[in-house]
Amino acid sequence: MAALRTIEAAEITAAVARLCGEADIELPQDVRRALEQARDQEESPVGREVLARLIENADIARRERLPICQDCGLAVVFVDLGQEVHIRGGSLEEAINAGVRQGYQDYYLRKSVCHPFTRANTGDNTPAVIHTRIVPGDRLHLWVVPKGGGSENMSRVFLLTPAVGLEGVKQKVVETVEAAGPNPCPPIILGVAVGGTFEQAAVRAKRTLLRELGSANPDPEAAALEAELLELVNRTGIGPAGLGGRVTCLGVFVDIHPCHIASLPLAVNIQCHAARHKEVVL
Amino acid sequence: MSQPVRLTPPLSDEQVAALTAGDRVLISGTIYTGRDAAHKRMVEALDRGEDPPFELAGAVIYYVGPSPPPPGRVIGAAGPTTSYRMDPYAPTLIARGLKAMIGKGKRGEEVKKAMQEHKAVYLAAIGGAGALMARCIKQAEVIAYPDLGPEAVRRLVVEDMPLIVVNDVRGGDLYQEGRRRYQR
Ligand code: SF4
């Protein structure tokens, strides 16, 4: 039997704290590049100005160590835990939540988690939303994805009738973007999952948001749908900040998965241009 | 694009009526912050016959819940939040003299009607440009509901805050007009 590799819970906490801060302050380079491209392509003068200001905003945030956006998000954490890893000194979940608590404090991030009815703030941005997979190997891979409320509120899950097929899926994606309009801070990124079950579609849609903008999808069927959806969504005219323009969406990520013979689940996770995610391998 | 209109609150009916959807605006002076939780309390206070935490006549409200100020700063990131959550409360405040709301995203029909009836406008700030917007904020002070944390009501002193008119007093709506122009 292979020896277990030990990772200290404190190490996980420190990594998560740092990732929270860096994610909220440093816009990923792929997103910045996509915003630059969008600015050069946009036909609307107001749209171009919005995009230029978003790039400026990202640069100010990075330089002055301020969050890109005041909505520093609910901390969504994806974990790929190698099955040969042994965590010592506390539970994985506690270690992650301690990291969120510390990161949101140390980096002056907004705490945006509350009780659903009383709306009383938990005060430290916990609990995090944690999605864990057990994978081969002796590594621990962590991704921190702070998710803002504005774009999350515009996301949708549909349990479609199989008869609507591919056309029905495309129509629902476009309808979701049109209904959202200016609310989720366009230009947006779309995470689309087709298949699976009710809950799996939503998680898979969110997981696609870890991909790099412009990266090729290895599944040719999904890649074709990505290109087509991007074209359709950018015909809506919503544009940067919803003020009208050609660039409504910077990229579409599609994940297609088998589902029940009676079902056609579709999840559309809308991500705003503040597409924050940071990862580390321990 | 035309030159931006410079405005300093409190705003008059005439100043507000002169604005058209699509106009660019630069606001300098005193404005107030509020999100849904603060709006709920303000409207409840008004219903009980109490005074609001600030003078509503001519006032400008910015829908924002800033991030905490790092040491040496007056405020953290401070971009707009999505406005529809304030829709249930906005008509009451507009009827009491509120002249401008700053946020992002679409407004409901009731709010648009109230804007036309009582002369008020809805201005968009760029959603997600929190670090950039913080630069226009020169002073910030919590004046009501401190227990709401980021959602407390703050008095802000701003300088050249860049905005764009979305809804004017004649029913103009930039979100609809802008989209129509670029739709294919
Ligand atoms: S939708 Fe995104 S960019 Fe817009 S306010 Fe929310 S977190 Fe910020």
Side-chain angles (χ1 to χ4, degrees):
Chain A
M1 198 187 97
L4 289 178
R5 183 169 160 256
T6 298
I7 297 180
E8 299 292 336
E11 199 185 331
I12 298 170
T13 296
V16 168
R18 186 172 53 79
L19 293 177
C20 288
E22 288 178 357
D24 269 321
I25 291 169
E26 298 168 6
L27 189 72
Q29 288 302 339
D30 60 320
V31 184
R32 195 185 181 287
R33 271 197 305 274
L35 288 173
E36 279 175 0
Q37 262 174 27
R39 179 197 54 197
D40 298 342
Q41 286 166 5
E42 181 56 64
E43 289 169 31
S44 147
V46 181
R48 275 200 302 275
E49 189 181 323
V50 168
L51 293 162
R53 286 197 189 266
L54 291 178
I55 295 164
E56 195 188 344
N57 181 67
D59 294 344
I60 294 171
R62 192 179 279 265
R63 206 167 48 236
E64 301 186 12
R65 308 311 291 167
L66 276 176
I68 300 158
C69 178
Q70 72 292 333
D71 184 349
C72 302
L74 204 154
V76 178
V77 182
F78 285 95
V79 183
D80 277 1
L81 176 64
Q83 60 196 29
E84 282 143 42
V85 172
H86 164 232
I87 295 168
R88 188 166 63 193
S91 81
L92 174 65
E93 194 178 319
E94 279 164 24
I96 291 172
N97 277 314
V100 169
R101 199 172 291 126
Q102 190 190 324
Y104 275 70
Q105 191 62 35
D106 291 357
Y107 292 90
Y108 302 94
L109 308 179
R110 197 183 81 187
K111 290 86 185 165
S112 312
V113 180
C114 71
H115 184 279
F117 295 136
T118 66
R119 313 305 293 174
N121 199 299
T122 63
D124 59 8
N125 220 55
T126 67
V129 172
I130 305 170
H131 301 292
T132 307
R133 287 193 304 205
I134 308 293
V135 298
D138 64 354
R139 302 277 151 167
L140 175 64
H141 197 149
L142 294 165
W143 293 260
V144 173
V145 189
K147 190 67 172 70
S151 55
E152 194 72 354
N153 282 344
M154 297 295 120
S155 302
R156 296 290 178 265
V157 174
F158 302 96
L159 294 151
L160 301 171
T161 305
V164 303
L166 180 61
E167 284 311 311
V169 164
K170 286 189 243 172
Q171 194 186 327
K172 279 293 172 205
V173 172
V174 174
E175 270 176 34
T176 302
V177 173
E178 286 183 327
N183 294 11
C185 294
I188 54 172
I189 296 167
L190 285 176
V192 177
V194 188
T197 51
F198 171 72
E199 86 287 6
Q200 197 200 35
V203 177
R204 294 184 86 95
K206 176 138 289 143
R207 191 181 288 277
T208 65
L209 299 176
L210 301 176
R211 274 178 53 194
E212 194 168 313
L213 280 170
S215 62
N217 194 321
D219 173 0
E221 193 185 15
L225 186 52
E226 286 175 358
E228 199 174 344
L229 285 173
L230 183 63
E231 167 74 25
L232 288 173
V233 164
N234 281 338
R235 273 189 212 159
T236 59
I238 294 166
L243 299 172
R246 299 281 181 224
V247 186
T248 301
C249 183
L250 298 174
V252 182
F253 301 132
V254 171
D255 178 347
I256 300 173
H257 199 68
C259 57
H260 190 281
I261 52 172
S263 307
L264 177 49
L266 164 68
V268 184
N269 202 178
I270 298 188
Q271 168 63 58
C272 53
H273 58 74
R276 300 157 289 189
H277 50 89
K278 286 279 163 179
E279 61 189 280
V280 73
V281 180
L282 298 180
Chain B
M1 275 181 293
S2 55
Q3 280 303 306
V5 181
R6 291 183 174 275
L7 292 173
T8 302
L11 304 180
S12 67
D13 283 7
E14 293 69 38
Q15 280 175 307
V16 163
L19 299 172
T20 301
D23 283 356
R24 290 185 304 152
V25 169
L26 289 173
I27 288 192
S28 298
T30 302
I31 63 173
Y32 298 91
T33 73
R35 289 171 48 106
D36 17 349
H39 272 72
K40 184 163 186 275
R41 287 200 199 174
M42 279 195 276
V43 168
E44 282 167 1
L46 289 171
D47 286 348
R48 286 193 303 266
E50 294 165 17
D51 283 339
F54 55 89
E55 176 56 57
L56 283 168
V60 177
I61 291 191
Y62 183 19
Y63 301 148
V64 60
S67 62
R73 288 184 171 271
V74 297
I75 204 158
T81 193
T82 321
S83 305
Y84 71 86
R85 297 195 319 275
M86 274 54 76
D87 282 1
Y89 314 106
T92 306
L93 302 186
I94 293 169
R96 297 288 294 252
L98 178 69
K99 285 291 139 204
M101 298 156 284
I102 303 169
K104 59 144 174 139
K106 288 176 276 194
R107 306 312 302 263
E109 287 310 317
E110 291 297 308
V111 183
K112 292 186 200 172
K113 226 166 60 200
M115 283 190 264
Q116 292 179 54
E117 201 176 311
H118 301 282
K119 297 220 180 341
V121 287
Y122 173 50
L123 310 169
I126 300 177
L132 185 73
M133 296 300 288
R135 288 200 156 178
C136 330
I137 301 171
K138 302 301 169 189
Q139 288 174 40
E141 181 196 356
V142 173
I143 58 159
Y145 321 138
D147 58 297
L148 293 180
E151 302 203 51
V153 172
R154 288 168 172 79
R155 181 191 292 121
L156 303 182
V157 176
V158 299
E159 211 176 279
D160 291 342
M161 189 177 187
L163 306 164
I164 188 154
V165 181
V166 172
N167 295 108
D168 61 33
V169 301
R170 290 169 295 281
D173 186 329
L174 180 61
Y175 287 142
Q176 287 172 10
E177 292 158 21
R179 196 180 152 188
R180 229 175 283 132
R181 204 169 304 146
Y182 292 95
Q183 204 168 22
R184 276 187 287 199

